[in-house]
């Protein structure tokens, strides 16, 4: 395996990436998209480094890179909603680096998983998307998730009642927060219902709320999609709650088109070695079963 840095253009800026090139590369490559916020091409717990090397050892070329405004790439930070040019430039670069490449898979976690879906259907070179804990956060969705999972779990926790009896917990303050969340859900549900009446089939996807935009983007993507969620993560839970309850998702046909899996004990960043190992194994196995050849 050859591992080397590359600097490549993205519009008026320069991006830095790391290519993991196997000695005998296959025809399917992987582009790892970095999530927003403080992360860069190394990833939380160095997981992007390890993933790139593991896939390259199995003959799969990989590019992990810093998008604009992160890590060692220059330019203004744009966030995951404006990453199309960055992703396109990264795919162009991996194709130039690996002459026999025919297709790529986009690998993303959290915000970058959603960014991958928003981009993939517009580039025929993308044959698959591996999405980890997709980000579809809305104010109403976040409030519902906390009401359903956080508060309900606390009520069932004996330690919660022990704190109340010991005077270590303010029941009134928690009740006020709970009531505020209820009002927030009701207000946003009303707004959402009003907005949905105005949405037409011809409306640009970028104008839609994140859950609907992700749904319609995945509907338009003709390739393979794998969605992995962590059981101990509110971001993943918000996505799952949407798929369980949304009429938009249920009527999309995606439940039968997409392969879903969950790691019940894992947290959002797969902070334990055993979780990361399983994540890497699932990635490699799905690639071999569905995208390589």
């Amino acid at each position: 395996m050859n591992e080397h840095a590359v600097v490549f253009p993205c519009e008026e800026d320069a991006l830095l990436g790391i290519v993991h090139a196997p000695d005998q590369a296959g025809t399917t490559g992987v582009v790892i998209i970095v999530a927003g916020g403080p992360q860069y091409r190394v990833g939380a717990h160095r997981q992007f480094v390890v993933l790139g090397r593991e896939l390259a050892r199995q003959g799969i070329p990989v590019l992990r890179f810093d998008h604009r405004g992160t890590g060692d790439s220059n330019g203004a930070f744009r966030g995951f909603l404006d990453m199309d040019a960055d992703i396109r430039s990264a795919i162009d670069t991996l194709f130039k680096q690996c002459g026999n490449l025919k297709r790529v898979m986009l690998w993303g976690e959290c915000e970058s998983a959603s960014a991958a879906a928003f981009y993939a259907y517009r580039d025929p070179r993308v044959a698959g998307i591996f999405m980890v804990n997709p980000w579809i956060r809305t104010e109403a969705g976040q409030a519902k998730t906390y009401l359903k999972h956080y508060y309900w779990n606390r009520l069932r926790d004996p330690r919660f009642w022990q704190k109340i009896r010991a005077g270590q917990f303010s029941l009134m303050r928690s009740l006020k927060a709970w009531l505020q969340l209820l009002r927030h859900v009701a207000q946003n549900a009303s707004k959402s219902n009003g907005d949905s009446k105005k949405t037409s089939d011809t409306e640009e996807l970028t104008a839609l709320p994140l859950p609907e935009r992700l749904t319609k983007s995945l509907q338009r993507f003709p390739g393979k999609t794998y969605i992995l969620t962590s059981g101990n993560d509110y971001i993943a839970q918000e996505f799952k709650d949407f798929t369980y309850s949304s009429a938009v998702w249920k009527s999309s046909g995606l439940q039968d088109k997409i392969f879903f899996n969950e790691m019940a004990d894992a947290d959002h960043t797969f902070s334990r070695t055993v979780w990361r190992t399983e994540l890497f194994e699932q990635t490699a196995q799905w690639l071999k079963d569905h995208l390589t050849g």
Side-chain angles (χ1 to χ4, degrees), residues 217-261:
S217 295
L218 290 173
Q219 278 184 296
R220 296 185 181 190
F221 178 56
K224 307 282 187 179
T225 304
Y226 188 115
I227 297 180
L228 175 66
T229 51
S230 300
N232 187 23
D233 176 36
Y234 286 126
I235 290 173
Q237 192 60 60
E238 184 173 345
F239 170 77
K240 289 185 290 183
D241 286 348
F242 170 72
T243 63
Y244 297 153
S245 62
S246 167
V248 173
W249 180 273
K250 289 180 179 180
S251 63
S252 68
L254 291 173
Q255 201 66 31
D256 297 325
K257 175 184 175 184
I258 296 173
F259 185 87
F260 294 87
N261 201 0

Side-chain angles (χ1 to χ4, degrees), residues 24-41:
Q24 295 182 338
T27 56
T28 302
V30 173
V31 172
I32 298 175
I33 307 172
V34 176
Q39 287 196 36
Y40 72 118
R41 64 185 180 276

Side-chain angles (χ1 to χ4, degrees), residues 182-282:
L182 279 178
R183 286 195 294 269
H184 197 70
V185 169
Q187 291 170 358
N188 280 275
S190 176
K191 292 178 183 178
S192 177
N193 289 336
D195 291 343
S196 64
K197 295 176 183 178
K198 300 175 185 177
T199 301
S200 67
D201 292 335
T202 59
E203 185 177 4
E204 288 291 333
L205 297 191
T206 55
L208 296 173
L210 284 178
E212 286 82 356
R213 181 178 176 183
L214 182 67
T215 302
K216 293 185 180 297
S217 295
L218 290 173
Q219 278 184 296
R220 296 185 181 190
F221 178 56
K224 307 282 187 179
T225 304
Y226 188 115
I227 297 180
L228 175 66
T229 51
S230 300
N232 187 23
D233 176 36
Y234 286 126
I235 290 173
Q237 192 60 60
E238 184 173 345
F239 170 77
K240 289 185 290 183
D241 286 348
F242 170 72
T243 63
Y244 297 153
S245 62
S246 167
V248 173
W249 180 273
K250 289 180 179 180
S251 63
S252 68
L254 291 173
Q255 201 66 31
D256 297 325
K257 175 184 175 184
I258 296 173
F259 185 87
F260 294 87
N261 201 0
E262 179 173 277
M263 291 172 57
D265 297 327
D267 57 23
H268 184 68
T269 60
F270 301 84
S271 59
R272 295 184 180 177
T273 301
V274 63
W275 297 334
R276 292 195 297 277
T277 299
E278 184 175 347
L279 171 64
F280 302 154
E281 289 175 351
Q282 289 191 33

Side-chain angles (χ1 to χ4, degrees), residues 36-217:
Q39 287 196 36
Y40 72 118
R41 64 185 180 276
V42 171
H45 321 292
R46 293 182 61 80
Q47 66 176 349
F48 299 157
V49 178
V50 180
L51 176 60
R53 290 172 178 173
E54 288 294 328
L55 293 178
R57 289 190 185 100
Q58 300 182 45
I60 300 166
V62 177
L63 171 65
R64 51 186 174 89
F65 72 103
D66 297 332
H67 57 85
R68 284 174 288 185
T70 63
D72 292 303
S73 294
N74 58 22
F77 178 75
R78 297 166 181 267
F80 76 104
L81 293 175
D82 187 11
M83 288 183 63
D84 286 356
D86 306 70
I87 297 171
R88 185 179 300 108
S89 295
I91 295 173
D92 292 343
T93 299
L94 189 58
F95 266 80
K96 290 176 182 177
Q97 292 283 319
C98 305
N100 62 333
L101 213 59
K102 293 182 179 178
R103 66 191 74 85
V104 296
M105 180 187 82
L106 300 180
W107 194 102
E109 183 178 10
C110 192
E111 290 179 347
S112 64
S114 299
F118 298 158
Y119 174 84
Y121 69 89
R122 287 175 287 173
D123 191 332
R125 298 173 297 179
V126 180
I129 318 171
F130 197 101
M131 305 174 65
V132 183
N133 297 327
W135 174 275
I136 57 164
R137 175 141 293 174
T138 62
E139 291 183 355
Q142 182 181 20
K144 287 179 181 178
T145 299
Y146 274 86
L147 281 173
K148 182 178 179 181
H149 302 283
Y150 174 75
Y151 282 99
W152 177 241
N153 288 338
R154 294 211 73 182
L155 289 173
R156 294 186 299 171
D157 187 350
R159 292 172 297 181
F160 170 73
W161 298 104
Q162 290 171 4
K163 287 183 179 180
I164 291 179
R165 286 193 293 268
Q168 299 174 350
F169 183 85
S170 174
L171 185 60
M172 288 303 298
R173 186 169 56 191
S174 182
L175 181 60
K176 287 181 181 178
W178 184 75
L179 290 173
Q180 286 176 349
L181 280 176
L182 279 178
R183 286 195 294 269
H184 197 70
V185 169
Q187 291 170 358
N188 280 275
S190 176
K191 292 178 183 178
S192 177
N193 289 336
D195 291 343
S196 64
K197 295 176 183 178
K198 300 175 185 177
T199 301
S200 67
D201 292 335
T202 59
E203 185 177 4
E204 288 291 333
L205 297 191
T206 55
L208 296 173
L210 284 178
E212 286 82 356
R213 181 178 176 183
L214 182 67
T215 302
K216 293 185 180 297
S217 295

